[in-house]
Amino acid sequence: MSIPISTLGTPRIGPRRELKTALEAHWAGRQNETALLATAAQLRASNWARQSLLGVTHIPSNDFSLYDQVLDMSAVVGAIPSQYGWEGGSVPLSTYFAMARGRRGHDDRGHEGCCHGGGGVPALEMTKWFDTNYHYMVPEFRRGQAFELASAKPIDEFREAVALGFHTHPVLIGPVTYLLLGKSKDEGLDPLTLLPGLLPVYAEILHRLAAAGADWVQFDEPCLVLDLDENARAALRHAYGVLSSTVSDLKIMIATYFGGLGYNLDLALDLPSAGLHLDLVRAPSQLGQAVARASADKVLSLGVIDGRNVWRSNLTALLDRIEPAVAALGPHRVVLAPSCSLFHVPYDVEAERAFDPELRSWLAFAVQKIGELKTLSTALVDGRRAVADELAQSDAAAAARRASARIHDAGVAARMDGLTPAMSERQHPYTLRRRAQEWLGLPQFPTTTIGSFPQTGAVRKARADHAKGWIDDADYQRFLRQETTQAITWQEEIGLDVLVHGEFERNDMVQYFGEQLAGYAFTQHGWVQSYGSRCVRPPIIYGDVSRPRAMTVEWARFAQSLTKRPVKGMLTGPVTMLQWSFVRDDLEREQVCRQIALALRDEVGDLERAGIRIIQIDEPAIREGLPLRHAEKEAYLTWAVACFRLAASGVDDATQIHTHMCYSEFNDIIHAVGGLDADVISIETARSKMELLDAFRAYRYPNEIGPGVYDIHSPRCPTVAEMRDLLAKARERIAGDQLWVNPDCGLKTRSWDEVRPALVNMVAAARKLREETAPARVAASA
Ligand code: GLN
Ligand code: ZN
């Protein structure tokens, strides 16, 4: 007897990002389809072999993807929007990648995911996978949407594994989650009404998998952790009623993750599936309820190892928690698993040779997490003594981490104790601050940019050369000063009002700060997929965060020394610093965020003292931190706003605080955006043609706003007239004296050839608007 171990899914980009390399070579035309598919097959084979070697009994298949697992599902069920020109049959790879990345037209200038005539087709929309930093391709549905099995990927990959000697558990996105993740392109169409047409395709997959020898199939239904209405709940009952009776000896495991089931727990337990997977990291308390209520034949997959974070588990404590449940259920009704697919963590801690050994001993990536599951499984069957060494090591690591001086900083603790509500308040309300800031002498409709200028090949090369020691500090600094000087001179020349230094010294908006803060660590190979071939290496916040010394003051001061116009200081906000990192699990996120806010508050103060009187604190990630459940949203927004204000409020009324956000929905968080009380906010609005401003209008947003007029995601140069029209649209929604003129976001991904004419036009558009409104302004003030 043993207790099975499942992973639900594994990292798929390859330990050295082999998939990224192969994809990009293929897209660039340097590698043909056969070579790409061979790399993909190798990655799958090594994933299966690794898991098998480590003792995983329920090895997943179809968890691999060339781009995205939701896009895969759209290909499998033939939900291919007509613009991609698919005419039935199996979906060609070129069609698949067109959905992922858009297809260029012949006179298009080669921009991914965008179309400007010439027969180009845009990519499907992309959005965040629940509350993770992974992005999926949003399925599109139309009225009368037909589904058919258009890709045999799940069956092919199952067979591929069989041929290599691995018996796998295929993973499919469940039909209800799949439909709920999609978007209706026809008004009034509820995607769930498409379920009856979709289920036969799922049924066909089940038949084929069973014929190929599968005995278990995992259906991912993370929608079960959301607030579901009765319609969705009925859809789940219907779907699993149909699917569970499709093939009698094929067992279904319904996987839920990213939270507790809450009021959906009974529903989930009552669905006619052989098994149910529970996230017991985010919702440990649901274990007792599930054990008590599950029917006598239901298998429970216990997601006890954190699939969303990088910390080693305390195995003894875990055993204390799960032994009673396992005893109650009996070993044949238990599977041990991570809370969610291991896809969200990097491969292997052992690859981190240069990592601080003490910190490394606290970490567990995918490989180590499987090891932990194996230890738990053995302990549960053969007793703790059988794994005494492993448990002792786990205990020792947990104890060492708890007691480590690296984590606890008395200075930080004292400052946290000394926090007062007044520290999150500016000296006076905005109306008074506005007057205090008039000394800045800004014109009406002031022009500015969001911070970064093009990270050209030369900039990236200089950084890489410096990191490798090929150029020394002095040469690197000289190079950066030269870039900054050019940027300042050019901004002055074209007549921008508030200048930026250009962020040439920054690798990444979070990493740059994290590297200068105590409590942060960085891996060498800790990549996780963000979307497609794009991977990120999130920093690890392991201990109390503090700022040993000023982080940005020198560059800001240098830039300001070159010009009489105001140079805007540029910081990444506390919530974004938190959200894009792996965060310690021994302190509430809210408290970690406060510590970061305090460090940034010091930076803001230092900038102000250095004569930088406009300071922007970027918070593009505030919205993505929103909890999945309604009931938890307000509490999050309250502390997120408080942390921003803690960072921003230490300055004089006459110092102007900006913030910046870029994503496309403000309606449900507009009160929090207002709550930030930044003097100026810049937002991404160009693509929505200013519609996003409706939320600001309805809320009567009182402070100043810079709605982006230049879509920086496109290489296209917007004309003066276009931007002027957008500004006119903006003026319909907000008062003229609130309005700033700026691009949607930072310009680091663009080239100077694209940026130069676009910003020249943007300044011209602002001037035009000033001319057009000048008489009205005189009249108003007369
Ligand atoms: N200041 C950053 C930049 O300009 C902001 C980036 C962002 O919003 N993601 O690049
Ligand atoms: Zn942005």
Side-chain angles (χ1 to χ4, degrees):
M1 185 73 232
S2 72
I3 294 188
I5 296 170
S6 156
T7 55
L8 307 189
T10 51
R12 59 195 184 208
I13 46 173
R16 291 290 177 274
R17 289 182 296 157
E18 291 86 345
L19 182 61
K20 174 191 176 71
T21 311
L23 281 169
E24 289 173 0
H26 176 67
W27 295 334
R30 283 183 276 112
Q31 198 180 91
N32 64 20
E33 206 170 301
T34 316
L36 170 64
L37 296 181
T39 302
Q42 261 164 26
L43 286 171
R44 287 192 292 270
S46 54
N47 265 349
W48 291 324
R50 183 183 314 104
Q51 291 175 82
S52 168
L53 204 67
L54 291 168
V56 178
T57 49
H58 293 9
I59 299 175
S61 60
N62 197 44
D63 59 328
F64 180 85
S65 178
L66 282 173
Y67 200 95
D68 163 44
Q69 71 274 12
V70 182
L71 181 62
D72 289 349
M73 215 57 228
S74 291
V76 166
V77 301
I80 318 251
S82 57
Q83 65 266 31
Y84 299 103
W86 175 65
E87 287 166 348
S90 83
V91 181
L93 201 58
S94 58
T95 307
Y96 177 84
F97 284 138
M99 289 162 77
R101 314 172 62 234
R103 189 185 283 140
R104 270 184 227 172
H106 36 78
D107 56 48
D108 198 66
R109 286 179 56 205
H111 165 59
E112 192 174 307
C114 122
C115 67
H116 307 292
V121 183
L124 288 176
E125 209 176 287
M126 186 166 79
T127 194
K128 297 228 162 209
W129 174 247
F130 295 81
D131 61 354
T132 72
N133 283 331
Y134 175 75
H135 303 69
Y136 71 91
M137 307 307 299
V138 180
E140 282 182 11
F141 304 124
R142 292 205 161 270
R143 217 176 283 285
Q145 178 78 46
F147 297 102
E148 64 177 85
L149 190 61
S151 153
K153 178 177 181 289
I155 302 114
D156 292 346
E157 289 184 10
F158 178 80
R159 287 219 178 89
E160 186 181 302
V162 169
L164 294 168
F166 303 109
H167 178 83
T168 60
H169 290 200
V171 181
L172 299 166
I173 295 175
V176 178
T177 292
Y178 173 71
L179 288 174
L180 288 175
L181 291 177
K183 189 171 153 177
S184 161
K185 298 297 272 185
D186 287 324
E187 206 170 322
L189 169 66
D190 172 1
L192 284 179
T193 58
L194 303 171
L195 185 63
L198 180 62
L199 288 177
V201 183
Y202 273 84
E204 190 180 345
I205 299 170
L206 291 184
H207 278 294
R208 294 228 208 161
L209 284 172
D215 55 358
W216 275 95
V217 175
Q218 173 184 322
F219 280 98
D220 284 4
E221 290 283 12
C223 73
L224 273 159
V225 310
L226 306 176
D227 300 310
L228 293 180
D229 60 16
E230 201 35 57
N231 189 21
R233 292 162 51 91
L236 281 157
R237 283 188 208 100
H238 175 66
Y240 289 93
V242 171
L243 295 177
S244 65
S245 58
T246 295
V247 184
S248 56
D249 42 3
L250 190 55
K251 300 196 196 83
I252 291 176
M253 171 67 74
I254 296 179
T256 69
Y257 42 78
F258 303 151
L261 292 164
Y263 65 80
N264 294 326
L265 180 64
D266 283 334
L267 164 76
L269 285 168
D270 289 343
L271 291 174
S273 70
L276 177 68
H277 170 82
L278 302 166
D279 181 339
L280 298 177
V281 171
R282 289 223 172 145
S285 64
Q286 61 181 353
L287 177 60
Q289 297 160 354
V291 170
R293 293 187 204 166
S295 63
D297 54 353
K298 180 89 71 182
V299 173
L300 293 183
S301 165
L302 310 183
V304 289
I305 299 289
D306 196 345
R308 288 288 296 275
N309 215 332
V310 291
W311 305 104
R312 192 167 174 171
S313 299
N314 184 342
L315 296 179
T316 303
L318 262 183
L319 281 171
D320 291 344
R321 258 179 56 208
I322 57 179
E323 271 168 352
V326 175
L329 292 165
H332 57 288
R333 284 179 60 206
V334 177
V335 176
L336 290 173
S339 56
C340 60
S341 162
L342 291 174
F343 167 73
H344 302 282
V345 292
Y347 274 84
D348 189 356
V349 172
E350 289 304 313
E352 301 301 326
R353 304 245 169 262
F355 210 76
D356 178 291
E358 184 186 359
L359 299 185
R360 193 172 56 193
S361 72
W362 304 341
L363 297 179
F365 295 171
V367 165
Q368 287 71 33
K369 285 174 190 287
I370 296 173
E372 293 185 326
L373 290 168
K374 178 85 186 145
T375 302
L376 290 176
S377 165
T378 308
L380 287 167
V381 179
D382 302 331
R384 296 192 189 196
R385 239 180 304 158
V387 282
D389 285 353
E390 287 90 336
L391 293 182
Q393 280 170 25
S394 170
D395 289 348
R401 185 176 160 205
R402 256 195 319 271
S404 171
R406 310 277 298 278
I407 288 188
H408 307 288
D409 179 328
V412 173
R415 288 193 74 186
M416 294 283 283
D417 285 344
L419 289 176
T420 62
M423 290 169 76
S424 289
E425 297 288 337
R426 295 286 297 269
Q427 292 167 337
H428 290 98
Y430 169 72
T431 35
L432 298 180
R433 298 200 303 269
R434 189 184 166 97
R435 251 183 273 153
Q437 289 162 21
E438 276 168 8
W439 72 275
L440 289 164
L442 297 173
Q444 202 186 13
F445 314 122
T447 53
T448 190
T449 60
I450 307 305
S452 59
F453 275 127
Q455 290 265 328
T456 57
V459 173
R460 274 176 286 140
K461 182 171 184 309
R463 184 182 310 129
D465 288 352
H466 178 243
K468 289 184 203 131
W470 294 355
I471 57 172
D472 64 16
D473 288 352
D475 280 343
Y476 183 52
Q477 295 299 313
R478 202 169 305 124
F479 170 82
L480 292 173
R481 273 201 297 274
Q482 188 184 312
E483 293 290 314
T484 308
T485 307
Q486 281 166 9
I488 292 285
T489 314
W490 181 76
Q491 291 173 82
E492 258 191 341
E493 248 167 56
I494 69 160
L496 281 159
D497 301 309
V498 174
L499 314 191
V500 297
H501 76 287
E503 302 183 17
F504 301 107
E505 77 287 7
R506 302 187 187 176
N507 36 17
D508 169 271
M509 65 185 289
V510 170
Q511 192 178 347
Y512 180 75
F513 290 94
E515 282 174 348
Q516 302 187 69
L517 289 169
Y520 269 84
F522 292 83
T523 64
Q524 257 181 310
H525 304 286
W527 297 100
V528 291
Q529 205 169 353
S530 172
Y531 61 88
S533 68
R534 202 184 137 77
C535 304
V536 294
R537 243 179 333 178
I540 296 174
I541 304 178
Y542 65 87
D544 287 345
V545 175
S546 64
R547 186 195 69 143
R549 64 195 70 84
M551 303 183 282
T552 63
V553 174
E554 256 179 67
W555 281 113
R557 192 188 273 134
F558 172 71
Q560 186 64 82
S561 75
L562 304 168
T563 177
K564 295 225 147 30
R565 299 198 184 186
V567 170
K568 186 160 61 163
M570 207 56 63
L571 303 173
T572 301
V575 184
T576 302
M577 290 294 298
L578 182 84
Q579 205 55 37
W580 291 350
S581 306
F582 286 119
V583 182
R584 58 193 286 193
D585 59 356
D586 59 345
L587 186 67
E588 307 241 3
R589 287 172 77 80
E590 174 180 344
Q591 301 306 334
V592 178
C593 197
R594 285 223 160 81
Q595 295 182 353
I596 303 170
L598 276 172
L600 289 166
R601 180 184 176 91
D602 296 345
E603 186 72 12
V604 170
D606 282 347
L607 282 169
E608 183 182 49
R609 274 185 289 281
I612 304 300
R613 304 300 299 274
I614 302 184
I615 300 166
Q616 178 172 311
I617 305 173
D618 291 326
E619 283 290 23
I622 279 203
R623 185 171 203 286
E624 50 186 73
L626 273 181
L628 296 170
R629 295 266 190 184
H630 250 299
E632 293 156 20
K633 288 188 183 178
E634 261 337 291
Y636 159 77
L637 287 173
T638 302
W639 67 251
V641 167
C643 288
F644 177 90
R645 292 175 64 133
L646 179 59
S649 298
V651 292
D652 194 81
D653 279 348
T655 298
Q656 190 171 66
I657 297 289
H658 289 220
T659 188
H660 165 72
M661 291 184 190
C662 43
Y663 40 71
S664 52
E665 253 307 323
F666 287 97
N667 285 313
D668 52 346
I669 58 159
I670 186 71
H671 59 292
V673 175
L676 298 177
D677 195 27
D679 298 307
V680 184
I681 181 172
S682 59
I683 57 170
E684 176 190 333
T685 39
R687 272 184 296 183
S688 87
K689 304 270 179 279
M690 299 290 150
E691 273 164 25
L692 289 179
L693 282 180
D694 288 342
F696 288 79
R697 173 167 58 180
Y699 178 75
R700 297 175 192 278
Y701 184 81
N703 304 6
E704 289 157 77
I705 316 178
V709 291
Y710 162 20
D711 173 10
I712 62 95
H713 295 101
S714 164
R716 231 180 107 262
C717 176
T719 64
V720 178
E722 250 171 71
M723 288 191 274
R724 189 223 146 264
D725 289 350
L726 283 177
L727 287 167
K729 280 211 170 72
R731 292 214 49 203
E732 291 164 12
R733 294 167 164 93
I734 48 176
D737 61 1
Q738 285 182 287
L739 188 59
W740 281 62
V741 180
N742 48 256
D744 265 346
C745 191
L747 299 163
K748 60 170 171 258
T749 57
R750 300 261 64 92
S751 72
W752 276 110
D753 285 347
E754 293 160 346
V755 163
R756 276 196 203 97
L759 290 185
V760 166
N761 286 356
M762 188 186 86
V763 171
R767 288 193 178 136
K768 210 167 160 88
L769 194 67
R770 281 174 206 150
E771 279 161 27
E772 287 168 8
T773 52
R777 191 158 43 121
V778 172
S781 60

